[in-house]
């Protein structure tokens, strides 16, 4: 009996250890999420820029100089895109204040009136006539009672006004999240330096990492790293190509419909469509907001929304599987669970990094013999 109890105790400890280790990893990922988000973002960017560094090295550039040139050009591209977006937004705000403020107010009032009329029509169809009369009589009686209570000569003293808050709600929100915003900005400032050192010290880091393994394990680790880099590059390049295609189509459509600032709303709507699960409402927001400046009828808004929805559905069902899905080889169930898991841990950043991280885990499982059954489970 003692031997059996000892064996059962050893089995329980053996099975409990992976569960405890998994819980510790999840807690660590959540507690240090800003650090991990920054690090994995830098790794993904380094994987994307590595082919450009290799291209410069072929024409006799030293790796450190090639890394510096590629990182500088990437930062310049980000700066120019940000400057262009800022110019468009500033022009939009100025144009709105000077020319479209009253039009937007009239459009909003028109839409509100139409919605109220629709509500009244539906109410009249759904609620019986007797119940409507009863509710109207109750409203009339309540008004008469209010008049009677307001007639006495000595009116009751008005209730004391609540004390004014020290700060506005917006100010309270900003103050409450000022610390996390500072941490995000601080960690974001490390991304260019991390990317540069990952590129310039890539060969040294690669050799040093492989030194942790011996024999066949070293070959497996090298193949896993290569496969992870291929998946991340394929995922990002596929999303970039699809985003540019959607941005171009939507720019042309918005320009034909007469929407103001199509060079801003088209790319925003196109790339917002690629956000998992919440891409459609995000893609609808930019064109609908600027359409308030020019549209007056609900039919125009419905036509615009239908066009954006149609492009979104076609892109996700026809183009996304070919340009992105074929590169990561994850089945839809795993993608959904990964988005839920990483979104829960890291919020919006988790939704963006969920598929590359899961694809990287699958790449490791595919190259390790003892984990291949998990790779097959994750795959398509």
């Amino acid at each position: 009996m003692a031997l059996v109890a000892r064996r059962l105790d050893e089995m329980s400890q053996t099975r409990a250890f992976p569960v405890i280790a998994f819980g510790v990893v999840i807690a660590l990922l959540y507690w240090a999420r800003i650090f991990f988000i920054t690090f994995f973002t830098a790794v993904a960017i380094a994987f994307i820029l590595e082919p450009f560094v290799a291209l410069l090295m072929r024409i006799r550039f030293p790796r450190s100089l090639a890394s510096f040139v590629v990182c500088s050009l990437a930062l310049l591209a980000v700066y120019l895109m940000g400057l262009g977006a800022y110019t468009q937004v500033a022009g939009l705000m100025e144009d709105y204040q000077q020319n479209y403020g009253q039009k937007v107010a009239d459009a909003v009032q028109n839409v509100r009136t139409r919605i109220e009329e629709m509500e009244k029509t539906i109410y009249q169809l759904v609620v019986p006539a007797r119940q409507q009369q009863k509710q109207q009589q109750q409203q009339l009686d309540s008004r008469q009672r209010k008049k009677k209570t307001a007639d006495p000569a000595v009116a009751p003293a008005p209730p004391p006004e609540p004390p004014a808050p020290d700060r506005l709600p917006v100010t309270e929100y900003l103050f409450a999240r000022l610390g996390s915003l500072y941490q995000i900005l601080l960690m974001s400032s490390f991304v260019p330096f991390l990317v540069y050192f990952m590129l310039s010290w890539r060969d040294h880091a690669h050799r040093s990492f492989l030194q942790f393994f011996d024999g066949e394990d070293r070959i497996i680790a090298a193949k896993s790293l290569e496969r992870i880099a291929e998946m991340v590059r394929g995922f990002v390049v596929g999303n970039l190509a699809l985003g540019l295609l959607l941005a171009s189509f939507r720019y042309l459509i918005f320009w034909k419909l007469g929407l103001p600032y199509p060079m801003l709303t088209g790319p925003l709507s196109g790339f917002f469509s690629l956000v998992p699960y919440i891409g459609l409402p995000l893609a609808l927001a930019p064109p609908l907001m600027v359409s308030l400046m020019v549209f007056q009828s609900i039919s125009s808004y419905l036509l615009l929304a239908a066009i954006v929805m149609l492009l979104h559905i076609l892109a996700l069902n026809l183009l996304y599987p070919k340009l992105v899905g074929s590169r990561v080889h994850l089945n839809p169930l795993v993608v959904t669970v990964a988005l839920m898991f990483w979104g829960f841990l890291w919020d919006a950043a988790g939704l963006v990094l969920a598929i590359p991280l899961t694809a990287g885990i699958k790449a490791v499982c595919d190259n390790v013999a003892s984990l291949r059954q998990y790779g097959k489970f994750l795959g398509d």
Side-chain angles (χ1 to χ4, degrees):
M1 292 296 294
L3 180 61
V4 173
R6 189 182 306 163
R7 290 288 180 87
L8 291 176
D9 185 51
E10 291 177 356
M11 291 176 60
S12 63
Q13 290 179 0
T14 305
R15 294 179 179 179
F17 180 76
V19 177
I20 296 173
F22 181 75
V24 171
V25 170
I26 297 301
L28 183 62
L29 289 173
Y30 181 79
W31 176 71
R33 56 188 179 276
I34 297 179
F35 168 79
F36 285 112
I37 290 170
T38 305
F39 180 77
F40 286 128
T41 302
V43 170
I45 297 173
F47 281 150
I48 298 166
L49 298 180
E50 174 59 30
F52 300 101
V53 175
L55 182 63
L56 291 180
M57 291 178 64
R58 290 179 183 175
I59 56 177
R60 306 299 181 181
F61 271 66
R63 173 168 280 277
S64 58
L65 180 60
S67 302
F68 178 78
V69 171
V70 170
C71 291
S72 299
L73 292 177
L75 286 175
L76 179 62
V78 172
Y79 171 76
L80 292 177
M81 288 189 293
L83 182 62
Y86 173 78
T87 304
Q88 290 282 310
V89 172
L92 175 63
M93 297 300 296
E94 183 178 358
D95 201 8
Y96 169 78
Q97 294 176 356
Q98 292 180 357
N99 303 321
Y100 295 108
Q102 188 60 38
K103 289 184 179 180
V104 172
D106 294 340
V108 172
Q109 183 61 35
N110 187 19
V111 173
R112 183 183 299 175
T113 304
R114 295 290 183 87
I115 293 175
E116 289 178 355
E117 291 177 356
M118 292 173 60
E119 289 179 350
K120 290 180 181 179
T121 304
I122 296 173
Y123 179 79
Q124 291 175 358
L125 292 174
V126 174
V127 181
R130 290 183 178 178
Q131 189 173 354
Q132 292 181 23
Q133 294 177 357
K134 184 177 179 181
Q135 291 179 356
Q136 291 176 359
Q137 185 63 34
Q138 291 177 353
Q139 292 176 359
L140 181 61
D141 294 341
S142 64
R143 290 175 183 172
Q144 291 177 353
R145 285 195 297 269
K146 288 180 180 179
K147 288 182 180 180
K148 290 180 180 179
T149 55
D151 284 341
V154 180
E161 297 182 357
D166 295 336
R167 295 172 181 164
L168 295 175
V170 176
T171 309
E172 287 286 347
Y173 180 84
L174 293 176
F175 269 90
R177 283 155 180 79
L178 190 60
S180 60
L181 179 62
Y182 171 75
Q183 288 183 347
I184 292 172
L185 293 176
L186 178 63
M187 287 296 176
S188 299
S189 65
F190 284 97
V191 171
F193 301 99
L194 282 173
V195 172
Y196 169 73
F197 289 121
M198 287 177 182
L199 291 173
S200 60
W201 288 79
R202 186 254 181 193
D203 295 336
H204 173 76
H206 189 265
R207 288 194 303 267
S208 301
F209 176 76
L210 294 181
Q211 294 299 321
F212 290 103
F213 306 93
D214 296 322
E216 187 179 354
D217 292 340
R218 183 174 299 178
I219 299 175
I220 293 174
K223 289 182 178 179
S224 299
L225 286 176
E226 184 178 355
R227 183 57 181 159
I228 291 172
E230 290 177 0
M231 281 191 174
V232 171
R233 278 196 291 266
F235 174 78
V236 175
V237 171
N239 275 282
L240 180 60
L242 183 56
L244 290 174
L245 186 63
L246 288 174
S248 302
F249 273 111
R250 294 187 185 188
Y251 162 74
L252 294 174
I253 292 172
F254 296 164
W255 176 65
K256 283 290 185 181
L257 292 176
L259 291 181
Y261 298 94
M263 291 188 66
L264 175 65
T265 56
L268 283 178
S269 179
F271 282 98
F272 280 164
S273 285
L274 303 178
V275 180
Y277 290 95
I278 59 174
L280 181 57
L282 290 178
L284 284 170
L288 288 178
M289 289 177 65
V290 298
S291 65
L292 293 172
M293 301 179 180
V294 292
F295 290 166
Q296 296 295 331
S297 61
I298 294 182
S299 59
S300 300
Y301 296 108
L302 293 177
L303 175 62
L304 177 62
I307 292 174
V308 175
M309 291 174 64
L310 179 62
L311 289 176
H312 180 79
I313 293 172
L314 290 176
L316 289 187
N317 290 277
L318 297 179
L319 299 177
Y320 194 88
K322 294 181 179 180
L323 295 177
V324 181
S326 60
R327 301 172 184 268
V328 296
H329 300 289
L330 295 173
N331 66 69
L333 176 61
V334 170
V335 170
T336 304
V337 174
L339 290 170
M340 293 172 56
F341 175 76
W342 294 107
F344 169 76
L345 283 180
W346 296 346
D347 300 326
L351 293 177
V352 176
L353 296 172
I355 296 178
L357 287 173
T358 309
I361 294 172
K362 181 183 180 302
V364 175
C365 295
D366 289 340
N367 288 281
V368 179
S370 60
L371 300 177
R372 281 175 186 167
Q373 64 270 23
Y374 299 103
K376 292 180 180 179
F377 173 77
L378 297 175
D380 53 1

